[in-house]
Amino acid sequence: MKWLLLLIIICDVVPLQGLTTNVSARLHVVNIGSVFTFDSLIGKVVKVAMEAAVEDVNASPSILNNTLLRIIMHDTKFSGFMSIMEPLRFMESEAVAIIGPQRSTSARVVSHIATELRIPVLSFTATDPTMSPLQFPFFIRTSQNDLFQMAAIADIVRFYGWREVIAIYGDDDYGRNGVSALGDKLAEKRCRISYKAALPPEPTRENITDLLIKVALSESRIIVVHASFIWGLDLFYVAQNLGMMSTGYVWIATNWLSTIIDTNSPLPLDTMNNIQGVIALRLHTPDSVMKKNFIQKWHNLTHVGLSTYGLYAYDTVWLLAQAIEDFLQGGGNVSFSKNPIISELGGGNLHLDALKVFDEGSIFLESILRVDRIGLTGRMKFNRDRNLVNQAFDVLNIIGTGYQTIGYWHSHIGLSVMPPEELGNPSFLGQQKLHSVVWPGHTTQNPRGWVFSNNGRHLRIGVPNRDTFEEVVSVKSNGIITGFCVDVFTAALNLLPYAVPFEFVAFGNGHDNPSNSELVRLITAGVYDAGVGDITIITERTKMADFTQPYAESGLVVVAPIRKLGSSAMAFLRPFTPQMWLVAAVSFLIVGAVIWFLEHKHNNDFRGPPRRQVITTFWFSFSTLFFAHRERTTSNLGRIVLLIWLFVVLIINSSYTASLTSILTVHQLSSPIKGIETLETNNDPIGYPQGSFVRDYLVNELGIHESRLVPLRSPEEYDKALRDGPGKGGVAAVVDERAYIELFLSNRCEFGIVGQEFTKNGWGFAFPRNSPLAVDVSTAILQLSENGDLQRIRDKWLLRKACSLQGAEIEVDRLELKSFWGLFVVCGVACVLALAVYTVLMIRQFGQQRPEEAEGSLRRRSSPSARIHSFLSFVKEKEEDVKARSSRERHLEDTSVNG
């Protein structure tokens, strides 16, 4: 009985284990759902491509062995509602993944449901850049993100030097989000969308006509069309009838246009005539043997043209097949269960309880994201952002009955005439360009990209109206406006390759100086189209408007009363400051004393009576100033000290000579104001031009109290205020731009510029923000500067005959001790070291030549003063006398010993 019971248990267990093992092994069919519109432009291609892909997968022995891949396709019939409802049917039929929906709007809704049921949704047509993996974790885009397409367009716009574009798009998620991405990418290139022209999702011809009329009235001629396959060609038909496909226009179409051309090629001749000169983008797929063989096979499958969406559809099926293979080999199990949240809702008439959760959907999702294979479209691999690793586009130019590839765009390289797969060679990396383009109107000249919005209206150019400094800008009583600024502006406009209709409009009452900052503000407000005059480019104004290249430099300077310094009997003392004179004189005496001390013991030139030695020392010291000393130096230490001292004397002598020459040969001017630093430290009143930015600069930047500032309106008021001075209600100095001050000083010799120019500014012409005219005028100003016309205009208006003191200089700074203290320190150190070495040598010699006397002195007179007196006597004694006495003492000692 026991053995029988054991046999029954084994028979029950073994079949059960075998059955469990074979459930996964005998998974004969894996379902994949797909939703799209069969009769749409994309659907015609996608249906054939996916069917071909499933057939090839099931026929391949290298993948999904003993498992049949089945794809279930549902037709949404151009209905957004069906695009949402049809995927729910796949979630009832236990499909492991869904390919689609076709539109980004539907993909958003379906992805929310797929996330709850853990079923991956793959789409190669929902290219909305805002569908991120953070918000839709089970949504996978198997084609290019529109973000990269917009980056390519931004690079094209920047490549041709355009700054503004007009975006035409459908007013849905796909259109709005795509254009938003375009705006972001243009901003990175310092460009922008000047007008967002939205159309209804399904516009009529009337809607398109009304919109294009508004576009035609805009300045920009660069038009980006992010359209739908349904109404895109109608847009170009209307544009052709409105004359907007002519010279000067630039049309850039996203990849919808290239898809139409590839699918329906050849297009009717009338349709091709409507899109001549258009630049279009197309998803880039590298050439390969696999792609070539599939194209040959395609012609046997259907008469519909093969677009890039067909290639991506084929690769998407193979991507899923590879992921299923990896999932099953990794022990994955295709099983579904009820969602507890849906179960709580109850089935009801909608039968929501039929929706099931893919139990291992998250694991299958990871299998999809890990796939790395080569397909018809190139490498199918996802990066961390779930974008394909190779983001590239073809740049096409529609010409004749077809198109020409004028270049390529790659996310890591930008624009190039070489295909991205061939750019691995570093020699190609420098070819960042495009081939020539045939633009609308059959011209090869690159369009300027903008026109004046209304050719019937002249540009209103604001010009400051004042009655001072007429050389800069002047408004005559008869309305004629002349001056340096006006001539430069007119000359610049004459260099532009197009005509600019304009008229000058006086700004100001002609008496009070108008505020140039207010003029710039009125340009921003649209009162004026530009500003011409002495408009200084400062930070505050650049925040309101765009400025051209500066055409004149004009920093701030200080002008103050000056007086001429006449020659005097003591002019020779002026090069050095009193401190410098004192230190130099003391140095002469010290060096002379040191040389005497080093040479006294063995040099007869420095011996003799005390009076003679003092005279010799003084004479030697000061004669070195002229290198006329006659006394010889015999000791090495003395020669070293003298050599260093003569070098110091050479430097001092040369500096003195140069400074005195300048003082005696050039007119010297003196002023108590030395520059802006003096005005910052004292409390004297300061004049400034009324209405100028100078006031704000002095108060905000330099911290000068506004109570010290006196507004002055004209050169005559400058003159009077400076002559009166602070004591009579005038000013100590005037701060203004150099150009004005030079005109003011041309016939007033009693004033002059003191100190250095303390700001670096320039004059420029002001234009509204992002005005393309500012760039063109800047280029014209550079041409004027290069060919010399700018300087000739300046000489005509601003060059004036100066007064007789123009060549004079403000009083030269006297040479101070701080300029020479290093030399004196070096010389002092040399003297101290020489004295120290000499003293050590004397002590050593004293101990060697007079040892008995030194010992006797120690025994008889042990006081320190006695020992010092004995040593000084030794030092004072002549070297020959010391040696002679030592010889006699040794001779006497020898005689006494022999006797």
Side-chain angles (χ1 to χ4, degrees), residues 243-254:
M244 298 177 65
M245 300 300 298
S246 57
T247 303
Y249 281 91
V250 174
W251 293 85
I252 303 176
T254 52

Side-chain angles (χ1 to χ4, degrees), residues 151-160 162 252 279 281 395 415 434:
I153 294 176
D155 278 348
I156 294 174
V157 172
R158 184 62 178 172
F159 175 77
Y160 288 107
W162 303 317
I252 303 176
I279 293 179
L281 296 183
V395 184
L415 297 173
L434 295 174

Side-chain angles (χ1 to χ4, degrees), residues 32 34 45-64 67-71 73 99 124 290 294 297-298 301 306 309-322 324 373 375-376:
I32 297 176
S34 177
V45 177
V46 167
K47 186 174 185 298
V48 178
M50 286 196 294
E51 290 173 347
V54 171
E55 181 181 349
D56 292 345
V57 168
N58 291 329
S60 175
S62 62
I63 192 170
L64 293 181
T67 299
L68 181 68
L69 181 66
R70 182 172 64 183
I71 185 166
M73 302 182 187
I99 300 178
F124 44 84
M290 184 188 307
F294 182 77
K297 178 182 177 180
W298 181 266
L301 297 175
L306 177 61
Y309 286 111
L311 301 177
Y312 276 102
Y314 184 90
D315 280 351
T316 300
V317 174
W318 270 92
L319 174 73
L320 277 173
Q322 183 66 56
I324 294 171
R373 66 180 305 274
L376 300 179

Side-chain angles (χ1 to χ4, degrees), residues 146-360:
D146 271 346
L147 184 67
F148 301 104
Q149 182 171 209
M150 299 309 172
I153 294 176
D155 278 348
I156 294 174
V157 172
R158 184 62 178 172
F159 175 77
Y160 288 107
W162 303 317
R163 297 187 62 186
E164 295 184 355
V165 304
I166 295 174
I168 301 178
Y169 60 97
D171 195 9
D172 54 14
D173 288 346
Y174 167 75
R176 285 191 299 269
N177 295 332
V179 170
S180 178
L182 174 61
D184 294 340
K185 291 302 179 180
L186 286 172
E188 294 177 4
K189 307 297 181 181
R190 302 190 69 180
C191 304
R192 71 185 187 102
I193 299 176
S194 61
Y195 177 36
K196 293 182 179 180
L199 284 169
E202 296 182 4
T204 63
R205 287 276 179 94
E206 184 179 357
N207 296 141
I208 297 175
T209 302
D210 293 340
L211 182 72
L212 289 183
I213 291 175
K214 296 179 182 179
V215 170
L217 295 177
S218 302
E219 289 186 358
S220 178
R221 286 294 182 262
I222 313 301
I223 305 173
V224 177
V225 183
H226 190 47
S228 165
F229 301 106
I230 300 174
W231 53 267
L233 293 179
D234 287 342
L235 178 79
F236 285 110
Y237 172 81
V238 176
Q240 177 73 23
N241 291 336
L242 293 177
M244 298 177 65
M245 300 300 298
S246 57
T247 303
Y249 281 91
V250 174
W251 293 85
I252 303 176
T254 52
N255 67 318
W256 65 269
L257 181 58
S258 61
T259 302
I260 292 177
I261 295 176
D262 291 337
T263 305
N264 296 333
S265 181
L267 291 176
L269 184 60
D270 292 342
T271 302
M272 291 302 299
N273 288 336
N274 294 336
I275 58 175
Q276 290 295 302
V278 175
I279 293 179
L281 296 183
R282 180 175 62 188
L283 297 170
H284 176 72
T285 55
D287 294 330
S288 63
V289 175
M290 184 188 307
K291 178 181 174 182
K292 182 179 180 181
N293 293 336
F294 182 77
I295 293 175
Q296 293 177 349
K297 178 182 177 180
W298 181 266
H299 296 307
N300 298 326
L301 297 175
T302 179
H303 64 279
V304 179
L306 177 61
S307 68
T308 53
Y309 286 111
L311 301 177
Y312 276 102
Y314 184 90
D315 280 351
T316 300
V317 174
W318 270 92
L319 174 73
L320 277 173
Q322 183 66 56
I324 294 171
E325 174 74 12
D326 297 341
F327 174 72
L328 295 177
Q329 288 186 356
N333 184 26
V334 180
S335 62
F336 293 84
S337 61
K338 292 185 177 182
N339 189 321
I341 298 178
I342 298 178
S343 299
E344 293 177 0
L345 296 176
N349 295 329
L350 294 177
H351 298 288
L352 295 177
D353 54 344
L355 300 177
K356 298 179 181 180
V357 177
F358 187 1
D359 294 328
E360 297 187 8

Side-chain angles (χ1 to χ4, degrees), residues 282 393-397 403-408 416-417 435-436:
R282 180 175 62 188
F393 287 87
D394 300 335
V395 184
L396 312 178
N397 182 207
Y403 60 82
Q404 179 180 358
T405 302
I406 60 173
Y408 306 87
S416 174
V417 295
H435 290 301
S436 59

